Amino acid sequence: MGGAGGRSGFYVGLGLALASSAFIGGSFILKKKGLLRLCRRGRARAGQGGHAYLQEWLWWAGLLCMGVGEAANFAAYAFAPATLVTPLGALSVLVSAVLSSTFLHEQLNVHGKIGCILSILGSTVMVIHAPQEEEVSSLESMAEKLKDPGFIVFAVCVLVSSLLLIFVAGPRYGQSNVLVYVLVCSAIGSLSVSCVKGLGIALKELFSGKPVLKEPLGWVLLVCLVICISIQINYLNKALDIFNTSVVTPIYYVLFTTAVMMCSAILFKEWQHMVLDNIIGTISGFLTIVSGIFLLHAFRDMPFTPDLLPLFLQQGRTDLHASWRSADRHQSCQHQPLLPSEDKGSHSTEEEEAESV
């Protein structure tokens, strides 16, 4: 990002990532409203295996918004590293939380607002200290990366764990634990980011005049991307139908970001060229995001009232109100120290004269 071309590419990727977060955050609200309308009509719910949402136009509007957001996200990965684009997904948490409290009447208390702010701050720190990935300029170099034993082990672990979550944990705990379906979306999503990165490289080569359409790797990546996105949409719908939107969205962001960071670190060897301050900054930013997500999730149903303040703050609040009430009884605070002494002196003089009489 030292030259003009790199700087312009950075800003293009940044703008596309911001637009992607806005569209994706809004898509959660539209799809949730569509699912709620189906529930009021008594149709089979997505969490129970139903697919009546395919006949709801609000759900399709949400899917369209998500498609636009994913397209912008796709383009952002082509211009910028994954470790720059992925943390900016925290903005979708903010968009979804604010819109859900406005249009879905879901509670967003002061803890949730602080959590959203912490998520934004943590994402900013991660972007500042983001590691720079190795250059992958062709499908041949991408194929060499995909053949790396470390990435193969990672991909196998993701597929095996996803199958266990779908067929073993899903029927038992899917209705009561939000992590089951969200973990499936996040794990599969890490592989979809790798496919997106490879397809972005293929499109760049295609526009430069290279015979990319004859390369089998590009088509394999396209098929894998379609499969991954289909799985993500299916299980994200299940999670949204069962659990609160303000819960699903931030948890999905944390798990998805973690999975993408692991996948990018293994596939592109990003952490090998990082200095110590960037490593500390990246970890600190991510922990800040996790702290914000914890506030947004753990205290979502707790109303914030003055009675929840610590005792010393409640005592200070009582003393403050008492001082305000006492101040209102006097017209001028400047003469408060003098008036009592003068009154006291006059009263004592009158008493002495009464006793002498």
Side-chain angles (χ1 to χ4, degrees), residues 84-102:
L84 171 66
V85 177
T86 305
L88 293 179
L91 294 178
S92 65
V93 178
L94 175 62
V95 172
S96 178
V98 172
L99 293 180
S100 63
S101 64
T102 303

Side-chain angles (χ1 to χ4, degrees), residues 280-309:
I280 296 175
T282 302
I283 296 175
S284 300
F286 182 69
L287 292 179
T288 304
I289 296 175
V290 173
S291 301
I293 297 305
F294 175 77
L295 284 176
L296 189 61
H297 170 60
F299 303 102
R300 66 185 187 276
D301 296 325
M302 179 182 295
F304 186 82
T305 61
D307 295 335
L308 297 177
L309 292 173

Side-chain angles (χ1 to χ4, degrees), residues 14 16-26 28 73 77 82-99 108 112-127 245-246 248-258 260-261 285-293 296:
L14 178 63
L16 289 172
L18 294 176
S20 172
S21 298
F23 279 104
I24 292 176
F28 285 105
N73 199 45
Y77 280 112
T83 47
L84 171 66
V85 177
T86 305
L88 293 179
L91 294 178
S92 65
V93 178
L94 175 62
V95 172
S96 178
V98 172
L99 293 180
L108 182 63
K113 295 175 183 178
I114 295 175
C116 290
I117 294 174
L118 287 176
S119 299
I120 301 296
L121 294 177
S123 298
T124 303
V125 174
M126 287 190 67
V127 169
T245 307
S246 60
V248 174
T249 306
I251 293 178
Y252 174 68
Y253 166 76
V254 171
L255 296 178
F256 176 73
T257 304
T258 304
V260 170
M261 289 176 59
F286 182 69
L287 292 179
T288 304
I289 296 175
V290 173
S291 301
I293 297 305
L296 189 61

Side-chain angles (χ1 to χ4, degrees), residues 15 25 27 53 78 93 110 131 133 165 180 182 185 187 206 216-217 225 229 242 270 277 297 323 333 348:
S27 70
Y53 56 84
V93 178
V110 66
E133 63 187 6
L165 287 170
V180 175
V182 177
C185 298
L206 180 63
L217 179 60
L225 180 62
I229 291 178
I242 298 171
E270 296 172 340
D277 58 345
H297 170 60
S323 64
C333 297
S348 61

Side-chain angles (χ1 to χ4, degrees), residues 323-345:
S323 64
W324 287 346
R325 287 194 298 268
S326 62
D328 291 338
R329 298 191 186 102
H330 303 283
Q331 295 180 354
S332 176
C333 297
Q334 297 177 352
H335 300 288
Q336 287 181 10
L338 299 177
L339 291 177
S341 61
E342 294 177 357
D343 293 338
K344 183 178 179 181

Side-chain angles (χ1 to χ4, degrees), residues 21-341:
S21 298
F23 279 104
I24 292 176
S27 70
F28 285 105
I29 308 304
L30 291 173
K31 289 197 287 187
K32 182 67 176 182
K33 287 187 71 68
L35 294 173
L36 290 175
R37 289 181 60 176
L38 290 175
C39 182
R40 288 193 297 266
R41 295 174 186 172
R43 307 292 296 274
R45 302 180 61 177
Q48 299 173 350
H51 296 84
Y53 56 84
L54 296 175
Q55 302 176 0
E56 177 59 48
W57 70 270
L58 273 177
W59 184 88
W60 283 106
L63 183 63
L64 179 62
C65 284
M66 178 166 282
V68 174
E70 292 294 343
N73 199 45
F74 178 91
Y77 280 112
F79 286 97
T83 47
L84 171 66
V85 177
T86 305
L88 293 179
L91 294 178
S92 65
V93 178
L94 175 62
V95 172
S96 178
V98 172
L99 293 180
S100 63
S101 64
T102 303
F103 296 102
L104 299 180
H105 306 291
E106 296 180 358
Q107 184 180 10
L108 182 63
N109 54 18
V110 66
H111 302 91
K113 295 175 183 178
I114 295 175
C116 290
I117 294 174
L118 287 176
S119 299
I120 301 296
L121 294 177
S123 298
T124 303
V125 174
M126 287 190 67
V127 169
I128 293 174
H129 297 279
Q132 297 298 315
E133 63 187 6
E134 293 182 354
E135 284 295 328
V136 181
S137 57
S138 64
L139 284 180
E140 289 78 9
S141 58
M142 185 68 183
E144 293 298 325
K145 297 288 185 184
L146 294 175
K147 293 177 183 177
D148 185 77
F151 177 75
I152 294 176
V153 172
F154 174 79
V156 171
C157 292
V158 166
L159 293 176
V160 172
S161 60
S162 299
L163 291 175
L164 291 175
L165 287 170
I166 292 173
F167 295 106
V168 178
R172 297 181 180 179
Y173 310 107
Q175 299 290 326
S176 59
N177 195 329
V178 67
L179 293 178
V180 175
Y181 294 140
V182 177
L183 276 173
V184 174
C185 298
S186 304
I188 298 298
S190 65
L191 298 180
S192 67
V193 169
S194 302
C195 297
V196 166
K197 196 69 178 179
L199 289 175
I201 296 171
L203 288 177
K204 285 185 177 180
E205 290 189 337
L206 180 63
F207 293 147
S208 63
K210 295 183 180 180
V212 179
L213 298 178
K214 298 180 181 180
E215 294 289 338
L217 179 60
W219 296 104
V220 171
L221 292 175
L222 180 61
V223 172
C224 292
L225 180 62
V226 172
I227 295 174
C228 291
I229 291 178
S230 300
I231 296 174
Q232 285 180 267
I233 291 175
N234 184 38
Y235 287 96
L236 186 58
N237 280 328
K238 290 179 180 292
L240 284 173
D241 186 52
I242 298 171
F243 303 100
N244 197 305
T245 307
S246 60
V247 175
V248 174
T249 306
I251 293 178
Y252 174 68
Y253 166 76
V254 171
L255 296 178
F256 176 73
T257 304
T258 304
V260 170
M261 289 176 59
M262 292 176 59
C263 183
S264 300
I266 295 173
L267 184 60
F268 299 108
K269 307 295 189 298
E270 296 172 340
W271 294 76
Q272 292 183 357
H273 306 283
M274 291 180 64
V275 295
L276 181 60
D277 58 345
N278 286 334
I279 294 176
I280 296 175
T282 302
I283 296 175
S284 300
F286 182 69
L287 292 179
T288 304
I289 296 175
V290 173
S291 301
I293 297 305
F294 175 77
L295 284 176
L296 189 61
H297 170 60
F299 303 102
R300 66 185 187 276
D301 296 325
M302 179 182 295
F304 186 82
T305 61
D307 295 335
L308 297 177
L309 292 173
L311 294 177
F312 71 94
L313 290 179
Q314 294 185 22
Q315 182 66 31
R317 182 170 58 89
T318 304
D319 295 341
L320 183 60
H321 285 300
S323 64
W324 287 346
R325 287 194 298 268
S326 62
D328 291 338
R329 298 191 186 102
H330 303 283
Q331 295 180 354
S332 176
C333 297
Q334 297 177 352
H335 300 288
Q336 287 181 10
L338 299 177
L339 291 177
S341 61

